[in-house]
Amino acid sequence: MRQKLLTDAQLRFRWPRERGTIWEVEEGTILTPSAKDFLREHGITLQFTRAGQTPKAMTRVPIPVRNGRAVYVDAATGEELAEKGETMTHLRGNLLVPKTHPRIEFRGRLDSLMAGILEVQVTAEEAGEQTIAEDLEELLGAAREILAAEVKEQPLPQMRLLGMDSGGIRHCSHHVKKTLGIDHPVPQRDMGRLCVELNRLRTQARETELSAARAFSNGTSFCRTDIIEGLNRMSSCIYIIFCRKLAGYYDREEQR
């Protein structure tokens, strides 16, 4: 059974409607660090119920409707808003945050990364490198899984990319000489357009990872380390594809 994730945004949504010091949630629910901070600040104690029991609190709350229109909620304060201003956007459902919110900035970076993957796929196909385009399709799927996990606030499934698990990806990217027979390459323009674009894509993935780290940090600790690690492995995979191209790996694959 998939464990549920309880975030501070969910708690803030519930707080204006059901104040109290004891809230019940289903046994096995995972709390994000920011959710723990919220509970501590508001003096709330959680009681865990067995699976199958209906919690007395923390159940799904219907989005309030007034005069036939949904009421927006400020995710930071729990305040109800009559309308969504131009400077606000949806964090999830009717929860609104400023467009400068770190998680919104992260989503934009992730969106740009996916666009970048598509661009390099086109370059690869035009260069006759169909296998590279297919490898990048795996990464595109992983990026979409990361986006879904972030927006739905669900745990990210364990990734397996380029035939490797997380540990294998890390090992391969750190030991290029051992795994591919070449030294760690320094990007040069004479490597050709595809390699130059792969290197740029690698930097985009790393920038997206750093954006995720900012979005899911409270200054002293991190939540959503699954997303941060997933993006780290994605940037490593792009580096591996870059190195494989230079090492002639894809040429040998075509000959098999």
Side-chain angles (χ1 to χ4, degrees):
M1 182 179 293
R2 172 174 287 182
Q3 291 178 303
K4 295 182 179 179
L5 188 70
L6 183 60
T7 68
D8 66 318
Q10 293 168 309
L11 293 170
R12 291 182 189 280
F13 185 82
R14 183 76 187 193
W15 176 247
R17 294 163 184 76
E18 186 167 348
R19 297 175 183 267
T21 57
I22 299 177
W23 289 358
E24 294 186 3
V25 295
E26 187 175 309
E27 191 174 48
T29 298
I30 299 172
L31 302 178
T32 65
S34 53
K36 293 178 182 178
D37 290 341
F38 182 92
L39 294 171
R40 185 168 53 252
E41 291 169 6
H42 292 80
I44 300 169
T45 300
L46 293 184
Q47 287 187 349
F48 294 90
T49 64
R50 293 190 303 274
Q53 283 186 291
T54 302
K56 297 177 182 177
M58 295 309 301
T59 53
R60 183 177 294 277
V61 180
I63 295 174
V65 176
R66 190 171 295 119
N67 297 325
R69 297 182 61 184
V71 176
Y72 298 106
V73 177
D74 188 316
T77 65
E79 178 186 0
E80 293 186 0
L81 305 172
E83 60 182 20
K84 181 174 78 70
E86 291 297 326
T87 61
M88 303 288 281
T89 191
H90 296 271
L91 178 65
R92 181 177 55 83
N94 267 36
L95 290 173
L96 301 183
V97 292
K99 291 182 177 179
T100 54
H101 191 282
R103 281 179 63 178
I104 303 305
E105 191 262 343
F106 162 65
R107 291 176 188 177
R109 291 276 188 177
L110 188 56
D111 193 24
S112 295
L113 176 60
M114 289 187 284
I117 293 173
L118 288 169
E119 288 180 357
V120 183
Q121 280 185 293
V122 171
T123 298
E125 289 185 332
E126 289 176 347
E129 297 282 2
Q130 186 62 36
T131 306
I132 292 179
E134 291 171 0
D135 282 350
L136 290 171
E137 187 68 22
E138 278 193 55
L139 302 189
L140 183 61
R144 288 169 176 163
E145 283 191 10
I146 289 172
L147 179 61
E150 190 276 325
V151 172
K152 296 178 182 178
E153 298 185 339
Q154 295 177 347
L156 180 67
Q158 287 293 319
M159 288 185 175
R160 187 171 182 83
L161 298 169
L162 307 183
M164 297 176 283
D165 60 14
S166 179
I169 293 168
R170 183 180 178 85
H171 176 80
C172 183
S173 64
H174 281 71
H175 301 88
V176 174
K177 183 73 171 181
K178 180 178 179 180
T179 57
L180 293 172
I182 63 172
D183 293 323
H184 284 282
V186 177
Q188 306 285 346
R189 66 176 184 275
D190 60 6
M191 292 176 175
R193 177 171 296 279
L194 179 54
C195 283
V196 169
E197 289 193 13
L198 282 167
N199 181 61
R200 177 181 53 78
L201 188 62
R202 176 191 61 80
T203 67
Q204 278 187 271
R206 184 53 57 85
E207 289 170 355
T208 307
E209 177 192 349
L210 294 176
S211 175
R214 288 191 295 270
F216 299 113
S217 168
N218 63 7
T220 58
S221 62
F222 296 88
C223 64
R224 298 317 307 258
T225 53
D226 55 341
I227 288 179
I228 296 170
E229 179 181 320
L231 285 163
N232 178 272
R233 298 304 186 266
M234 278 190 64
S235 67
S236 294
C237 281
I238 297 168
Y239 181 64
I240 291 169
I241 294 172
F242 170 73
C243 292
R244 282 179 173 181
K245 169 61 178 169
L246 292 173
Y249 171 92
Y250 291 105
D251 296 332
R252 295 192 293 272
E253 286 293 301
E254 290 295 326
Q255 292 171 6
R256 291 183 183 179

Coordinates of all heavy atoms in Angstrom, one line a residue, residues 133-218:
A133 N 18.4 9.4 -29.1 CA 17.1 9.9 -29.0 C 16.2 9.1 -28.1 O 15.4 9.6 -27.3 CB 16.4 10.1 -30.4
E134 N 16.3 7.7 -28.2 CA 15.5 6.8 -27.4 C 16.0 6.9 -25.9 O 15.2 6.8 -25.0 CB 15.7 5.4 -27.9 CG 15.0 5.2 -29.3 CD 15.3 3.9 -29.9 OE1 16.0 3.1 -29.3 OE2 14.8 3.6 -31.0
D135 N 17.3 7.0 -25.7 CA 17.8 7.2 -24.3 C 17.3 8.4 -23.7 O 16.9 8.5 -22.5 CB 19.3 7.2 -24.3 CG 19.9 5.8 -24.5 OD1 19.1 4.8 -24.4 OD2 21.1 5.7 -24.6
L136 N 17.2 9.5 -24.5 CA 16.7 10.8 -24.0 C 15.2 10.7 -23.7 O 14.7 11.4 -22.9 CB 17.0 11.9 -25.0 CG 18.4 12.3 -25.1 CD1 18.6 13.3 -26.3 CD2 18.9 13.0 -23.8
E137 N 14.5 9.8 -24.5 CA 13.1 9.6 -24.2 C 12.8 9.0 -22.8 O 11.9 9.4 -22.2 CB 12.5 8.7 -25.3 CG 11.0 8.5 -25.2 CD 10.2 9.8 -25.6 OE1 10.8 10.6 -26.3 OE2 9.0 9.9 -25.2
E138 N 13.7 8.2 -22.4 CA 13.7 7.7 -21.0 C 13.8 8.8 -20.0 O 13.0 8.9 -19.0 CB 14.8 6.7 -20.7 CG 14.6 5.3 -21.2 CD 15.6 4.3 -20.6 OE1 15.8 4.3 -19.4 OE2 16.3 3.7 -21.4
L139 N 14.7 9.7 -20.3 CA 14.9 10.9 -19.3 C 13.7 11.8 -19.4 O 13.3 12.4 -18.3 CB 16.1 11.6 -19.7 CG 17.4 10.8 -19.7 CD1 18.6 11.8 -19.9 CD2 17.6 10.0 -18.4
L140 N 13.1 12.0 -20.5 CA 11.9 12.8 -20.6 C 10.7 12.2 -19.8 O 10.0 12.9 -19.1 CB 11.4 12.9 -22.1 CG 10.2 13.8 -22.4 CD1 10.5 15.3 -22.0 CD2 9.9 13.8 -23.9
G141 N 10.6 10.9 -19.8 CA 9.6 10.2 -19.0 C 9.9 10.4 -17.5 O 8.9 10.6 -16.8
A142 N 11.2 10.3 -17.2 CA 11.5 10.5 -15.8 C 11.2 11.9 -15.3 O 10.7 12.2 -14.2 CB 13.0 10.2 -15.6
A143 N 11.4 12.9 -16.2 CA 11.1 14.3 -15.8 C 9.6 14.5 -15.6 O 9.2 15.2 -14.7 CB 11.6 15.3 -16.9
R144 N 8.8 13.8 -16.4 CA 7.4 13.9 -16.3 C 6.9 13.3 -15.0 O 6.0 13.7 -14.3 CB 6.7 13.3 -17.5 CG 6.9 14.2 -18.8 CD 6.4 13.4 -20.0 NE 6.5 14.3 -21.2 CZ 6.5 13.9 -22.5 NH1 6.4 12.5 -22.7 NH2 6.5 14.7 -23.5
E145 N 7.6 12.2 -14.6 CA 7.3 11.5 -13.3 C 7.6 12.4 -12.2 O 6.8 12.5 -11.2 CB 8.0 10.2 -13.2 CG 7.5 9.1 -14.0 CD 8.1 7.7 -13.6 OE1 8.8 7.7 -12.6 OE2 7.9 6.7 -14.3
I146 N 8.7 13.1 -12.3 CA 9.1 14.1 -11.2 C 8.1 15.2 -11.1 O 7.7 15.6 -10.0 CB 10.5 14.7 -11.5 CG1 11.6 13.6 -11.3 CG2 10.8 15.9 -10.6 CD1 12.9 14.0 -11.7
L147 N 7.6 15.7 -12.2 CA 6.6 16.8 -12.2 C 5.3 16.3 -11.5 O 4.7 17.0 -10.7 CB 6.3 17.3 -13.6 CG 5.3 18.4 -13.7 CD1 5.7 19.6 -12.9 CD2 5.0 18.7 -15.2
A148 N 4.9 15.1 -11.9 CA 3.6 14.5 -11.3 C 3.8 14.3 -9.8 O 2.9 14.6 -9.1 CB 3.3 13.2 -12.0
A149 N 4.9 13.8 -9.4 CA 5.1 13.6 -8.0 C 5.1 14.9 -7.2 O 4.6 14.9 -6.1 CB 6.5 12.8 -7.8
E150 N 5.7 15.9 -7.8 CA 5.7 17.2 -7.1 C 4.4 17.8 -7.0 O 3.9 18.3 -5.9 CB 6.7 18.1 -7.8 CG 7.0 19.4 -7.0 CD 6.0 20.5 -7.2 OE1 5.5 20.6 -8.3 OE2 5.7 21.3 -6.3
V151 N 3.7 17.9 -8.1 CA 2.3 18.5 -8.1 C 1.3 17.8 -7.3 O 0.6 18.4 -6.5 CB 1.8 18.7 -9.6 CG1 0.4 19.2 -9.6 CG2 2.7 19.6 -10.4
K152 N 1.3 16.5 -7.3 CA 0.4 15.6 -6.6 C 0.9 15.4 -5.1 O 0.1 14.8 -4.4 CB 0.2 14.3 -7.3 CG -0.4 14.4 -8.7 CD -0.5 13.0 -9.3 CE -1.1 13.1 -10.7 NZ -1.2 11.8 -11.4
E153 N 2.1 15.8 -4.8 CA 2.7 15.6 -3.5 C 2.7 14.2 -3.1 O 2.2 13.8 -2.0 CB 2.0 16.5 -2.5 CG 2.1 18.0 -2.8 CD 1.5 18.9 -1.8 OE1 0.6 18.4 -1.0 OE2 1.9 20.1 -1.7
Q154 N 3.2 13.4 -4.1 CA 3.3 11.9 -3.8 C 4.8 11.5 -3.9 O 5.6 12.2 -4.6 CB 2.5 11.1 -4.9 CG 1.0 11.4 -4.9 CD 0.3 10.7 -6.0 OE1 0.9 10.2 -6.9 NE2 -1.0 10.6 -5.9
P155 N 5.2 10.4 -3.2 CA 6.6 10.0 -3.3 C 6.9 9.6 -4.8 O 6.1 9.1 -5.5 CB 6.6 8.7 -2.4 CG 5.4 8.9 -1.5 CD 4.4 9.6 -2.3
L156 N 8.2 9.9 -5.1 CA 8.7 9.6 -6.5 C 9.1 8.1 -6.5 O 9.9 7.7 -5.7 CB 9.9 10.5 -6.8 CG 10.5 10.3 -8.2 CD1 9.6 10.7 -9.3 CD2 11.8 11.1 -8.3
P157 N 8.6 7.3 -7.5 CA 9.0 5.9 -7.5 C 10.5 5.8 -7.8 O 11.1 6.7 -8.4 CB 8.2 5.4 -8.7 CG 7.0 6.3 -8.9 CD 7.6 7.7 -8.4
Q158 N 11.1 4.8 -7.4 CA 12.6 4.5 -7.7 C 12.8 4.5 -9.2 O 12.1 3.8 -9.9 CB 13.0 3.2 -7.1 CG 13.2 3.3 -5.5 CD 14.3 4.2 -5.1 OE1 15.4 4.2 -5.7 NE2 14.0 5.0 -4.0
M159 N 13.8 5.3 -9.6 CA 14.1 5.4 -11.1 C 15.1 4.3 -11.5 O 16.0 3.9 -10.8 CB 14.7 6.7 -11.4 CG 13.8 7.9 -11.3 SD 14.6 9.4 -11.9 CE 13.2 10.5 -11.8
R160 N 14.9 3.8 -12.7 CA 15.8 2.9 -13.4 C 16.0 3.5 -14.8 O 15.1 3.4 -15.6 CB 15.4 1.5 -13.4 CG 16.4 0.5 -14.0 CD 16.0 -0.9 -13.8 NE 17.1 -1.8 -14.3 CZ 18.2 -2.1 -13.6 NH1 18.3 -1.7 -12.4 NH2 19.1 -2.9 -14.1
L161 N 17.2 4.1 -15.1 CA 17.4 4.7 -16.4 C 18.7 4.2 -17.0 O 19.6 3.8 -16.4 CB 17.6 6.2 -16.1 CG 16.4 7.0 -15.5 CD1 16.8 8.4 -15.1 CD2 15.2 7.0 -16.5
L162 N 18.6 4.1 -18.4 CA 19.7 3.6 -19.1 C 20.2 2.2 -18.6 O 21.3 1.8 -18.7 CB 20.9 4.5 -19.1 CG 20.7 6.0 -19.5 CD1 22.0 6.8 -19.4 CD2 20.0 6.1 -20.8
G163 N 19.2 1.4 -18.1 CA 19.5 0.1 -17.7 C 20.1 0.0 -16.3 O 20.6 -1.1 -15.9
M164 N 20.2 1.1 -15.6 CA 20.8 1.2 -14.3 C 19.9 1.7 -13.2 O 19.1 2.6 -13.5 CB 22.1 2.1 -14.4 CG 23.2 1.5 -15.3 SD 24.6 2.7 -15.5 CE 23.8 3.9 -16.6
D165 N 20.2 1.3 -12.0 CA 19.5 1.9 -10.8 C 20.3 3.1 -10.4 O 21.3 3.4 -11.0 CB 19.3 0.9 -9.7 CG 20.6 0.3 -9.2 OD1 21.7 0.9 -9.5 OD2 20.5 -0.7 -8.4
S166 N 19.8 3.7 -9.3 CA 20.4 4.9 -8.8 C 21.9 4.8 -8.5 O 22.8 5.6 -8.9 CB 19.7 5.4 -7.6 OG 20.3 6.6 -7.1
G167 N 22.3 3.6 -7.9 CA 23.7 3.4 -7.5 C 24.5 3.2 -8.8 O 25.7 3.6 -8.8
G168 N 23.9 2.4 -9.7 CA 24.7 2.2 -11.0 C 24.9 3.4 -11.8 O 26.0 3.6 -12.4
I169 N 24.0 4.3 -11.8 CA 24.1 5.6 -12.5 C 25.2 6.4 -11.9 O 26.1 7.0 -12.6 CB 22.8 6.4 -12.5 CG1 21.7 5.7 -13.3 CG2 23.0 7.8 -13.0 CD1 20.3 6.2 -13.1
R170 N 25.2 6.5 -10.6 CA 26.3 7.2 -9.8 C 27.6 6.6 -10.1 O 28.6 7.4 -10.4 CB 25.9 7.2 -8.3 CG 26.9 8.0 -7.5 CD 26.5 8.0 -6.0 NE 27.5 8.7 -5.2 CZ 27.4 10.0 -4.9 NH1 26.5 10.7 -5.5 NH2 28.3 10.6 -4.2
H171 N 27.8 5.3 -10.1 CA 29.0 4.7 -10.3 C 29.6 4.9 -11.7 O 30.7 5.3 -11.9 CB 28.9 3.2 -10.0 CG 30.2 2.4 -10.3 ND1 31.2 2.3 -9.5 CD2 30.5 1.7 -11.5 CE1 32.2 1.6 -10.0 NE2 31.8 1.2 -11.2
C172 N 28.7 4.8 -12.7 CA 29.1 5.0 -14.1 C 29.6 6.4 -14.3 O 30.6 6.6 -15.0 CB 27.9 4.6 -15.0 SG 28.3 4.7 -16.8
S173 N 28.8 7.4 -13.8 CA 29.2 8.8 -14.1 C 30.5 9.2 -13.3 O 31.1 10.1 -13.8 CB 28.0 9.7 -13.7 OG 27.8 9.6 -12.3
H174 N 30.8 8.5 -12.2 CA 32.0 8.9 -11.5 C 33.2 8.1 -12.0 O 34.3 8.5 -11.6 CB 31.8 8.6 -10.0 CG 31.0 9.7 -9.3 ND1 29.6 9.9 -9.5 CD2 31.4 10.6 -8.4 CE1 29.2 10.9 -8.7 NE2 30.3 11.4 -8.1
H175 N 33.0 7.0 -12.7 CA 34.1 6.2 -13.1 C 34.0 5.9 -14.6 O 33.9 4.8 -15.1 CB 34.1 4.8 -12.4 CG 34.2 5.0 -10.9 ND1 33.1 5.1 -10.1 CD2 35.3 5.0 -10.1 CE1 33.5 5.3 -8.8 NE2 34.8 5.2 -8.8
V176 N 34.1 7.0 -15.4 CA 34.0 7.0 -16.8 C 35.1 6.1 -17.5 O 34.9 5.4 -18.4 CB 34.0 8.4 -17.4 CG1 34.0 8.4 -18.9 CG2 32.8 9.2 -16.9
K177 N 36.3 6.3 -16.9 CA 37.5 5.5 -17.5 C 37.2 4.0 -17.3 O 37.5 3.3 -18.3 CB 38.7 5.9 -16.7 CG 40.0 5.3 -17.2 CD 40.5 5.8 -18.5 CE 41.8 5.3 -18.9 NZ 42.3 5.9 -20.2
K178 N 36.7 3.6 -16.2 CA 36.5 2.2 -16.0 C 35.3 1.7 -16.8 O 35.4 0.5 -17.3 CB 36.2 2.0 -14.5 CG 36.0 0.5 -14.1 CD 35.8 0.4 -12.6 CE 35.5 -1.1 -12.2 NZ 35.3 -1.2 -10.7
T179 N 34.2 2.5 -16.9 CA 33.0 2.0 -17.5 C 33.0 2.2 -19.0 O 32.4 1.4 -19.8 CB 31.8 2.6 -16.9 OG1 31.9 4.1 -17.0 CG2 31.7 2.2 -15.4
L180 N 33.7 3.2 -19.5 CA 33.6 3.5 -21.0 C 35.0 3.6 -21.6 O 35.1 3.8 -22.8 CB 32.9 4.9 -21.2 CG 31.4 4.8 -20.8 CD1 30.8 6.2 -20.9 CD2 30.6 3.9 -21.8
G181 N 36.1 3.6 -20.8 CA 37.4 3.6 -21.4 C 37.9 4.9 -21.8 O 38.9 5.0 -22.6
I182 N 37.4 6.0 -21.4 CA 37.9 7.4 -21.7 C 38.0 8.2 -20.4 O 37.3 7.9 -19.4 CB 37.0 8.1 -22.7 CG1 35.6 8.4 -22.1 CG2 36.9 7.4 -24.0 CD1 34.7 9.3 -23.0
D183 N 38.9 9.2 -20.5 CA 39.0 10.1 -19.3 C 37.7 11.0 -19.3 O 37.0 11.2 -20.3 CB 40.2 11.0 -19.5 CG 41.5 10.1 -19.3 OD1 41.5 9.2 -18.5 OD2 42.5 10.4 -20.0
H184 N 37.5 11.6 -18.2 CA 36.4 12.6 -18.1 C 36.7 13.7 -19.1 O 37.7 14.4 -19.1 CB 36.3 13.2 -16.7 CG 35.7 12.3 -15.7 ND1 34.4 12.1 -15.6 CD2 36.3 11.5 -14.7 CE1 34.1 11.2 -14.6 NE2 35.3 10.9 -14.0
P185 N 35.7 13.9 -20.1 CA 36.0 14.8 -21.2 C 35.7 16.3 -20.8 O 34.8 16.5 -20.0 CB 35.0 14.3 -22.3 CG 33.9 13.7 -21.5 CD 34.5 13.1 -20.3
V186 N 36.5 17.1 -21.4 CA 36.3 18.6 -21.2 C 35.5 19.0 -22.5 O 36.1 18.8 -23.6 CB 37.6 19.4 -21.1 CG1 37.3 20.9 -21.0 CG2 38.4 18.9 -19.9
P187 N 34.3 19.6 -22.4 CA 33.6 20.0 -23.6 C 34.4 20.9 -24.5 O 35.0 21.9 -24.0 CB 32.3 20.6 -23.0 CG 32.2 20.0 -21.6 CD 33.6 19.9 -21.1
Q188 N 34.3 20.6 -25.8 CA 35.0 21.4 -26.8 C 34.1 21.6 -28.0 O 33.3 20.6 -28.3 CB 36.3 20.8 -27.3 CG 37.3 20.5 -26.2 CD 38.0 21.7 -25.6 OE1 38.0 22.7 -26.2 NE2 38.6 21.5 -24.5
R189 N 34.2 22.7 -28.7 CA 33.3 22.9 -29.9 C 33.5 21.8 -31.0 O 32.6 21.5 -31.8 CB 33.4 24.3 -30.4 CG 34.7 24.6 -31.0 CD 34.7 26.1 -31.6 NE 35.9 26.4 -32.3 CZ 37.0 26.9 -31.7 NH1 37.0 27.1 -30.4 NH2 38.0 27.3 -32.4
D190 N 34.7 21.3 -31.1 CA 35.0 20.4 -32.2 C 34.4 19.0 -31.9 O 34.6 18.1 -32.7 CB 36.5 20.3 -32.4 CG 37.3 19.8 -31.2 OD1 36.7 19.4 -30.2 OD2 38.6 19.8 -31.3
M191 N 33.8 18.8 -30.8 CA 33.0 17.6 -30.5 C 31.8 17.5 -31.4 O 31.2 16.4 -31.5 CB 32.7 17.5 -29.0 CG 33.9 17.3 -28.1 SD 33.3 17.3 -26.4 CE 34.9 16.9 -25.5
G192 N 31.3 18.6 -31.9 CA 30.1 18.5 -32.7 C 28.9 19.0 -32.0 O 28.9 19.1 -30.8
R193 N 27.9 19.4 -32.8 CA 26.7 20.0 -32.3 C 26.0 19.1 -31.2 O 25.6 19.6 -30.2 CB 25.7 20.3 -33.4 CG 24.4 20.9 -32.9 CD 23.6 21.5 -34.0 NE 24.2 22.6 -34.7 CZ 24.2 23.8 -34.2 NH1 23.6 24.1 -33.1 NH2 24.9 24.8 -34.9
L194 N 25.9 17.8 -31.5 CA 25.1 17.0 -30.6 C 25.7 16.9 -29.2 O 25.1 17.0 -28.2 CB 25.0 15.5 -31.2 CG 24.2 14.5 -30.4 CD1 22.8 15.1 -30.0 CD2 24.1 13.2 -31.1
C195 N 27.1 16.7 -29.2 CA 27.8 16.7 -27.9 C 27.7 18.0 -27.2 O 27.5 18.0 -26.0 CB 29.2 16.3 -28.1 SG 29.5 14.5 -28.4
V196 N 27.8 19.1 -27.9 CA 27.7 20.4 -27.3 C 26.3 20.6 -26.7 O 26.1 21.2 -25.6 CB 28.0 21.5 -28.3 CG1 27.6 22.9 -27.8 CG2 29.5 21.5 -28.7
E197 N 25.2 20.2 -27.4 CA 23.9 20.3 -26.9 C 23.6 19.4 -25.7 O 22.9 19.7 -24.8 CB 22.9 20.0 -28.0 CG 22.8 21.1 -29.1 CD 21.6 21.0 -30.0 OE1 20.7 20.2 -29.7 OE2 21.6 21.7 -31.1
L198 N 24.2 18.2 -25.7 CA 24.1 17.3 -24.6 C 24.7 17.9 -23.4 O 24.2 17.8 -22.3 CB 24.8 16.0 -24.9 CG 24.0 15.0 -25.8 CD1 24.9 13.8 -26.3 CD2 22.7 14.4 -25.1
N199 N 25.9 18.6 -23.5 CA 26.5 19.2 -22.4 C 25.7 20.4 -21.9 O 25.6 20.5 -20.6 CB 27.9 19.8 -22.8 CG 28.6 20.4 -21.7 OD1 28.9 19.8 -20.7 ND2 28.9 21.7 -21.9
R200 N 25.1 21.1 -22.8 CA 24.2 22.2 -22.3 C 23.0 21.6 -21.5 O 22.6 22.2 -20.5 CB 23.7 23.0 -23.5 CG 22.7 24.1 -23.1 CD 22.2 24.9 -24.3 NE 21.7 24.1 -25.3 CZ 20.5 23.5 -25.3 NH1 19.7 23.7 -24.3 NH2 20.1 22.7 -26.3
L201 N 22.4 20.5 -22.1 CA 21.3 19.9 -21.4 C 21.7 19.4 -20.0 O 20.9 19.5 -19.1 CB 20.8 18.7 -22.3 CG 19.5 18.0 -21.8 CD1 18.4 19.0 -21.9 CD2 19.2 16.8 -22.7
R202 N 22.9 18.9 -19.9 CA 23.4 18.5 -18.5 C 23.4 19.6 -17.6 O 23.0 19.5 -16.4 CB 24.8 17.9 -18.7 CG 25.4 17.5 -17.3 CD 26.9 17.2 -17.5 NE 27.7 18.4 -18.0 CZ 28.1 19.4 -17.3 NH1 27.8 19.5 -16.0 NH2 28.7 20.4 -17.8
T203 N 23.8 20.8 -18.0 CA 23.8 22.0 -17.1 C 22.4 22.4 -16.8 O 22.1 22.9 -15.6 CB 24.5 23.2 -17.8 OG1 23.8 23.7 -18.9 CG2 26.0 22.8 -18.2
Q204 N 21.4 22.3 -17.7 CA 20.0 22.6 -17.4 C 19.5 21.6 -16.3 O 18.8 22.1 -15.4 CB 19.2 22.4 -18.7 CG 19.2 23.6 -19.6 CD 18.2 23.4 -20.7 OE1 18.5 22.8 -21.8 NE2 17.0 23.8 -20.5
A205 N 19.9 20.4 -16.4 CA 19.4 19.4 -15.4 C 20.0 19.8 -14.0 O 19.3 19.7 -13.0 CB 19.8 18.0 -15.8
R206 N 21.2 20.2 -14.0 CA 21.9 20.5 -12.7 C 21.2 21.8 -12.2 O 21.0 21.9 -10.9 CB 23.4 20.8 -12.9 CG 24.1 21.1 -11.6 CD 23.9 20.0 -10.6 NE 24.2 18.7 -11.0 CZ 25.4 18.1 -10.9 NH1 26.4 18.8 -10.5 NH2 25.6 16.9 -11.3
E207 N 20.9 22.8 -13.0 CA 20.2 24.0 -12.5 C 18.8 23.7 -12.0 O 18.4 24.3 -11.0 CB 20.1 25.0 -13.7 CG 21.4 25.6 -14.1 CD 21.3 26.4 -15.4 OE1 20.3 26.4 -16.0 OE2 22.3 27.1 -15.7
T208 N 18.2 22.7 -12.6 CA 16.8 22.3 -12.1 C 17.0 21.6 -10.8 O 16.1 21.8 -9.9 CB 16.2 21.3 -13.1 OG1 16.2 22.0 -14.4 CG2 14.7 21.0 -12.8
E209 N 18.0 20.8 -10.6 CA 18.3 20.2 -9.3 C 18.5 21.2 -8.2 O 17.9 21.1 -7.1 CB 19.5 19.3 -9.4 CG 19.9 18.6 -8.1 CD 21.2 17.9 -8.2 OE1 21.8 17.8 -9.3 OE2 21.7 17.6 -7.1
L210 N 19.3 22.2 -8.5 CA 19.5 23.3 -7.5 C 18.2 24.1 -7.2 O 18.0 24.5 -6.1 CB 20.6 24.2 -8.0 CG 22.0 23.6 -8.2 CD1 22.9 24.6 -8.8 CD2 22.5 23.1 -6.9
S211 N 17.4 24.3 -8.2 CA 16.1 24.9 -8.0 C 15.2 24.1 -7.1 O 14.5 24.6 -6.2 CB 15.4 25.2 -9.3 OG 14.1 25.7 -9.2
A212 N 15.3 22.8 -7.2 CA 14.5 21.9 -6.4 C 15.0 22.0 -4.9 O 14.2 22.0 -4.0 CB 14.6 20.4 -6.9
A213 N 16.3 22.0 -4.8 CA 16.9 22.1 -3.5 C 16.5 23.4 -2.8 O 16.2 23.4 -1.6 CB 18.4 22.1 -3.6
R214 N 16.4 24.5 -3.5 CA 15.9 25.7 -2.9 C 14.4 25.6 -2.5 O 14.0 26.1 -1.5 CB 16.1 26.9 -3.9 CG 17.6 27.3 -4.0 CD 17.7 28.6 -4.8 NE 17.2 28.5 -6.1 CZ 18.0 28.2 -7.2 NH1 19.3 27.9 -7.0 NH2 17.5 28.1 -8.4
A215 N 13.6 25.0 -3.4 CA 12.2 24.9 -3.2 C 11.8 24.1 -2.0 O 10.8 24.3 -1.4 CB 11.5 24.4 -4.5
F216 N 12.6 23.0 -1.7 CA 12.3 22.1 -0.7 C 13.2 22.2 0.5 O 13.5 21.2 1.2 CB 12.3 20.7 -1.2 CG 11.2 20.5 -2.3 CD1 11.6 20.3 -3.7 CD2 9.9 20.6 -2.1 CE1 10.7 20.1 -4.7 CE2 9.0 20.5 -3.1 CZ 9.3 20.2 -4.4
S217 N 13.7 23.4 0.8 CA 14.6 23.6 1.9 C 14.0 24.7 2.8 O 13.4 25.7 2.3 CB 16.0 24.1 1.5 OG 16.7 24.5 2.5
N218 N 14.1 24.5 4.1 CA 13.7 25.5 5.1 C 14.9 26.2 5.7 O 14.8 26.9 6.7 CB 12.8 24.9 6.2 CG 13.5 23.9 7.0 OD1 14.7 23.7 6.9 ND2 12.8 23.2 7.9

